Amino acid sequence: MRRLLLSALGALPAALRAAPAGLNGRAVRGGRPAAAPDDGLSGTGGTAPAPDRHRPSPGRGRGDTVRAWTELFRVSALFSVPGDALAGAAAVGRSPGRGTALAIGASLCLYEAGMALNDWADREEDAVDRPHRPIPSGRISPSAALGAAGALTAAGLALAARAGRPALAVATGLAATVWAYDLHLKHTKAGPAAMAAARSLDLLLGATATATAMSTATATSYAGTGPGPRAPRPMRLGAVPPTGPDNVARAAGPARSPLAALPAALVLGAHTYGVTAVSRHEAQGGSTAVPLAVLATTTALAAAVLATHQRQRPGEPARPGPAATAPGSSYRPDHPHHPAAPSMLDLGAPLPGTYRPGHHPTAPALPDLGAPLPGTYRPGHHPHRPTAPALTPLLLTAFTGAYLRTAGPPLLHAALNPSPPLTQRAVGGGIRAMIPLQAALAARAGAPGSGLAVMALVPLARSLARKVSPT
């Protein structure tokens, strides 16, 4: 018995050296247990798959660092931001100018600040549901993400301040909404409403910055350069009013107050509300009613954009009827066809070199000399040229159709199969659908050129979304 026991003890070391696996079932290599196999979806221990995402490289080189920050900032979603300011500028009847550019820069900074702050606030939740994200995977430290959020917020407010105090006030409200959403409101019932308010404020920021820059430039063009006040110079007959020393934002239509952009901001906010409501289920899935409701809302928004195109645009003055220009009607100094003031007496022609209010001599009619020579200009000659408003209905219909095509099918698929991958695709489609919606809002406001400029961002957003997920 003793001999059997001794022989068994002597064979034990050899058996341990020949064992193919350790105590935890992992293969032993070099005295260390090998890492557990990755499932290729959300990482070891993850519960939610992550489709259409590239797995992070294990290295710590420059390329891996750049990719980590692009994932943190979700750079493919950046292309949905500039259209807010362009649609806001169109809503106030102005072409894009210096104020619009400042608003776009401020919006981009505040948008990326919200992305970094979002991942910092959700770092513990992402460690379970999305361990592939930059902060849970250890590629970016939480302190670096928080510092980036603070720096980008300060940069956004500084750019808005360059556009004027009204723009800074709107940007401050936007920044406060972003921080409140990421730190507290996201996981409450007020989360979708807060995100919708942020997107609406972003459009109003573009409208306010454009209108403020225009007003400031116009006032500066009339101000004197000497130590004392200088009266404005009288304008020549037929002269065009100046729009500022650098043509900051020339009029694309009747100038309107920034509040005229409120209807467009509400439309964009309603779409954002729906996208945020769907995103609350993208990690676990399981919701069928929410995608269906958002799909119905998307259809209603598209119909509203098309229906209101034929109506009078917000803030645009009503067109005068025949009674406004008929003889004997009330005098309106701002009316382009007003008759002479009824209180004025006909005193005949004024003396040469003098001016009398209410006296508007009629210039003698020019003889018909035919078309001018090529390269010359003749006052009063206006050859027929195709106008942009003739193309506006076609562009508006095309932009609205692109909006439905981008947002509708992913929402329908998520409603039929509310799995996490399809829900995430519905959220990504909703984010990309903001671009054609912004283009449609700009075209509806009478700025088809701005709408085309916004739509030019679609191919860039689509190609970059294949590399970096927008969600």
Side-chain angles (χ1 to χ4, degrees):
M1 187 65 180
R2 182 178 298 178
R3 292 179 181 178
L4 292 175
L5 182 60
L6 292 176
S7 63
L9 293 175
L12 182 60
L16 291 176
R17 287 193 299 270
L23 297 178
N24 56 0
R26 301 179 185 176
V28 178
R29 298 176 183 175
R32 297 179 181 177
D38 196 350
D39 57 5
L41 295 177
S42 60
T44 304
T47 59
D52 304 332
R53 290 197 177 105
H54 296 267
R55 294 176 55 189
S57 58
R60 294 293 180 183
R62 183 184 300 272
D64 183 70
T65 302
V66 172
R67 178 168 184 81
W69 283 101
T70 57
E71 291 180 7
L72 181 75
F73 289 140
R74 298 169 180 84
V75 293
S76 61
L78 273 179
F79 297 99
S80 66
V81 177
D84 292 343
L86 294 176
V92 295
R94 297 295 177 185
S95 296
R98 175 177 175 272
T100 314
L102 290 173
I104 292 176
S107 299
L108 290 173
C109 290
L110 295 178
Y111 187 85
E112 294 293 41
M115 290 295 185
L117 185 63
N118 174 80
D119 278 23
W120 178 85
D122 290 347
R123 61 189 184 278
E124 296 180 358
E125 179 181 345
D126 288 344
V128 177
D129 293 333
R130 296 177 174 180
H132 59 276
R133 295 293 301 161
I135 295 180
S137 63
R139 292 177 290 159
I140 295 179
S141 64
S143 59
L146 183 61
L152 288 170
T153 301
L157 294 178
L159 289 174
R162 296 289 302 273
R165 291 183 179 179
L168 177 60
V170 177
T172 302
L174 173 58
T177 305
V178 169
W179 280 73
Y181 172 81
D182 286 334
L183 297 181
H184 176 67
L185 297 178
K186 180 193 309 182
H187 300 290
T188 66
K189 294 182 179 180
M195 184 59 68
R199 182 64 73 162
S200 298
L201 286 173
D202 197 31
L203 190 145
L204 292 176
L205 174 60
T208 305
T210 304
T212 303
M214 175 61 194
S215 301
T216 304
T218 304
T220 303
S221 64
Y222 284 102
T225 56
R230 181 180 178 183
R233 297 179 179 178
M235 295 179 58
R236 299 188 306 273
L237 182 63
V240 179
T243 58
D246 55 351
N247 193 22
V248 173
R250 62 183 179 87
R256 296 182 285 270
S257 166
L259 292 179
L262 188 58
L266 292 177
V267 170
L268 197 60
H271 173 78
T272 306
Y273 187 99
V275 176
T276 308
V278 175
S279 69
R280 296 165 73 92
H281 304 277
E282 64 178 344
Q284 291 82 18
S287 175
T288 301
V290 174
L292 281 177
V294 175
L295 180 59
T297 303
T298 301
T299 307
L301 290 177
V305 171
L306 291 175
T308 55
H309 173 62
Q310 301 297 333
R311 302 176 185 174
Q312 180 182 346
R313 289 193 294 269
E316 185 177 356
R319 296 181 179 180
T325 57
S329 60
S330 59
Y331 174 71
R332 292 178 54 187
D334 59 340
H335 199 281
H337 303 288
H338 66 81
S343 60
M344 294 291 180
L345 299 178
D346 188 6
L347 303 179
L351 297 177
T354 62
Y355 171 73
R356 180 183 301 157
H359 180 75
H360 304 284
T362 304
L366 296 177
D368 187 7
L369 303 179
L373 297 176
T376 62
Y377 170 73
R378 179 182 302 157
H381 181 75
H382 304 285
H384 175 70
R385 290 176 294 181
T387 57
L391 300 176
T392 299
L394 296 177
L395 292 177
L396 178 60
T397 303
F399 296 158
T400 307
Y403 166 64
L404 289 174
R405 176 65 182 85
T406 306
L411 287 172
L412 181 60
H413 295 161
L416 297 177
N417 182 12
S419 61
L422 293 181
T423 304
Q424 291 170 12
R425 289 191 179 99
V427 175
I431 294 175
R432 292 189 298 271
M434 291 183 184
I435 299 178
L437 179 59
Q438 295 159 349
L441 292 175
R444 187 190 67 165
S450 297
L452 290 173
V454 173
M455 285 299 294
L457 302 175
V458 172
L460 300 175
R462 185 177 301 171
S463 61
L464 195 56
R466 298 188 182 99
K467 301 178 180 180
V468 181
S469 174
T471 61

